[in-house]
Every structure is written in structure tokens, then in C-alpha cells.
Amino acid sequence: MIVGIVGLGLIGGSMAKSIKSRTAHTVYGTDLNSETMTMARMCGAMDAPLTEENLPQCDALLVAIRPAAAVEWVERNAERISKSAMVVDLCGVKRQVVEGIAPIAQRRGFAYIGGHPMAGKERGGFTAATDDLFVGASMILTPDQRTDMQLLETLKTLFLDIGFAGLTFSDPEEHDRIIAFTSQLAHIVSSAYVKSPEAQRRRGFSAGSFRDMTRVARLDEDMWTELFLDDADYLTGELKVLIGHLNEYLDALEARDAEKLHALLKDGREKKATAGGN
């Protein structure tokens, strides 16, 4: 199979490296950064650049760029995508992207499905990409009534071959609602947390809890601004819930109310036990 990858950052680059190291598939890749393209060729992450000429040869296309850019790329190249090809976007939000790409795919006759690999690092770019990034991770797919079962089987084989533990099926609405809590909220909390003046004076006083809370604050603000705004309705709802709970802790502390504080902490522990470790 010939797999075209659009965008060779952390996710697209890891897809390319994983496919080349773990399968016999051919990879064509493209990235706006010429240095990234050179590195990808030199390290064997792709067989050749993805061009207008070889785009029609691709059996699968993985679009690993920002949401608005993903829709724009598919729209601009739709006439060159083979009608037998399957297109999967790998964006972190689904409603905006699916609403943009699905009508193009239907009009042009190629298969399309929304995707989101649940894997990442605090650093991005091709240099951070690895061939084991997806090992043990979940791959979310958002099939619709047009999705062919054979397509899903082909994608399942590809994603399991490169290390994913399994597929999770959702719809764009559910995906964006849940991801607002499991991913986006954590990034906002981490970004806000490190703004305390004490963050600059904490040397010698920090351990695992500090590292866990601050790890994702080192984010790409351009990408995350777009993701947050695309999911602003669900994300603002989650923020309001969090702020409400934080105010409960604040009230208990200001009142020196040990009983209330103890109850809040116990409730949090029990909620964590119910939610599980992942």
C-alpha cells in the first residue's frame, strides 16, 4: 500500500517512522518545512516526497496538520485524490474538520474518516517524532453512514501494525465533548498553573506532582489556540465546572473548615477510583 502523509510534525512524522519501521508500505510525505523534508528522506521515514504527480497513486492519505489547514489541503487537492483512496485526518478536534472534509469526499467519491491518535509529547516537530509513539495508544475514528466496513478493516490492520492497542469509535460531537475534558482542559490548567510567581522559585522543592502538572504547559500556542477555539463551547463548560470545584476548596480553606475540606478531598479520591487510571 502507498501511504501519503501530509505534515511531518510529531504526529505525521511518527506515523511515517512507524509505518516505515513496522510495515512494508511505501510512504510519500510532504511538509512546508524544507529541513523537515530533508531529515525525513535522510532517516528513511519516507520513500519520496508527496507531490501533485504521485498523489493519485496513494491508497491512503493521513492528513496530520492543523484543522483549518487540513480542510484547505483536502479541498485544494481533491481532484487529484484517487476515488479508491481513503483519507484520514489526524486532527485533535473533529466537528469542524469532518464538516469541512466529508462533503468534499462525498462529492469527489473518495472515502474519508475522521481520526485522532491519542498519543503525544510536550515537544513537537519531526525531531521529536519516534517510531514507537503510538505503541499501546488508542486510535479514535469517527465513521459515518458512508463508511465501508472493508475500509475500517484496512485501517484497523494499519494502525494495529504500527503499535496502536486498539480502535475507539465515536462521532465528532462526542469526540469533541470528551476531548475537551481529557486533553484540552489539562493543557489550560497546566498553562495557568505555571504562571504563579512560585514557579520561578520552586527549585529544590518540586517532585513528581509538579512535573505532572507542568509537563503539557510547554505547548504549541498556535496549534492549541485553534484547537481550543474550535471546541470552545465544550471547553468553556468544562472550565466553569472546574472553577466551581476550585471555589469549593477555596471557601473551605478560607473558612479553615477541616470537615468540609476533608469531605472534598475524600470525594475527589473516590471519583478518581471510579474514573480509573487512564
Side-chain angles (χ1 to χ4, degrees):
M1 184 164 67
I2 297 176
V3 181
I5 301 179
V6 182
L8 296 172
L10 174 64
I11 297 300
S14 294
M15 283 285 177
K17 291 179 178 181
S18 298
I19 292 170
K20 288 306 300 176
S21 68
R22 296 168 180 268
T23 78
H25 301 314
T26 297
V27 172
Y28 296 158
T30 184
D31 194 277
L32 294 177
N33 188 303
S34 59
E35 185 177 341
T36 293
M37 291 291 288
T38 299
M39 288 190 293
R41 285 297 301 273
M42 290 181 65
C43 76
M46 68 180 188
D47 297 280
L50 178 65
T51 64
E52 292 184 356
E53 289 71 32
N54 62 27
L55 176 56
Q57 301 171 19
C58 293
D59 303 296
L61 284 163
L62 305 178
V63 185
I65 51 181
R66 294 174 193 164
V71 175
E72 191 276 332
W73 187 91
V74 173
E75 188 170 29
R76 177 161 41 87
N77 291 280
E79 293 186 1
R80 287 180 283 273
I81 298 174
S82 170
K83 286 182 169 55
S84 63
M86 48 189 173
V87 176
V88 183
D89 84 86
L90 303 177
C91 299
V93 292
K94 293 273 70 78
R95 286 176 295 173
Q96 301 279 355
V97 183
V98 172
E99 287 171 10
I101 297 180
I104 301 171
Q106 187 167 9
R107 186 168 65 249
R108 294 298 305 166
F110 57 81
Y112 162 71
I113 188 168
H116 184 188
M118 295 307 297
K121 294 181 179 180
E122 56 270 29
R123 295 187 183 275
F126 184 78
T127 54
T130 61
D131 64 4
D132 61 356
L133 180 66
F134 308 115
V135 173
S138 172
M139 179 68 190
I140 301 175
L141 295 176
T142 60
D144 60 22
Q145 65 275 9
R146 293 184 62 243
T147 305
D148 180 72
M149 286 304 299
Q150 184 56 50
L151 177 146
L152 286 179
E153 285 297 326
T154 301
L155 289 178
K156 179 180 179 181
T157 299
L158 172 63
F159 291 133
L160 292 184
D161 282 349
I162 62 176
F164 284 96
L167 305 182
T168 298
F169 296 109
S170 181
D171 60 65
E173 193 79 25
E174 179 187 51
H175 170 277
D176 288 1
R177 173 174 55 80
I178 297 175
I179 217 71
F181 172 70
T182 61
S183 175
Q184 295 171 355
L185 184 64
H187 283 78
I188 284 184
V189 170
S190 184
S191 180
Y193 178 71
V194 297
K195 292 177 182 178
S196 168
E198 294 302 330
Q200 306 305 317
R201 298 191 285 267
R202 53 89 192 172
R203 296 190 183 280
F205 289 83
S206 59
S209 56
F210 181 83
R211 289 193 298 271
D212 291 344
M213 279 289 292
T214 59
R215 183 180 63 82
V216 294
R218 189 187 287 114
L219 46 69
D220 177 345
E221 59 269 21
D222 294 329
M223 180 184 75
W224 283 99
T225 295
E226 184 172 348
L227 293 175
F228 290 160
L229 290 177
D230 282 347
D231 210 16
D233 50 352
Y234 285 128
L235 184 53
T236 53
E238 290 297 337
L239 269 172
K240 289 175 182 176
V241 171
L242 175 63
I243 291 168
H245 289 310
L246 289 174
N247 279 326
E248 292 176 343
Y249 289 90
L250 178 61
D251 292 344
L253 286 165
E254 288 183 332
R256 304 299 193 267
D257 188 336
E259 185 177 347
K260 182 178 179 181
L261 183 58
H262 184 275
L264 288 169
L265 294 170
K266 180 182 178 183
D267 185 51
R269 175 175 58 79
E270 292 174 346
K271 290 288 197 305
K272 169 60 178 173
T274 303
N278 294 321

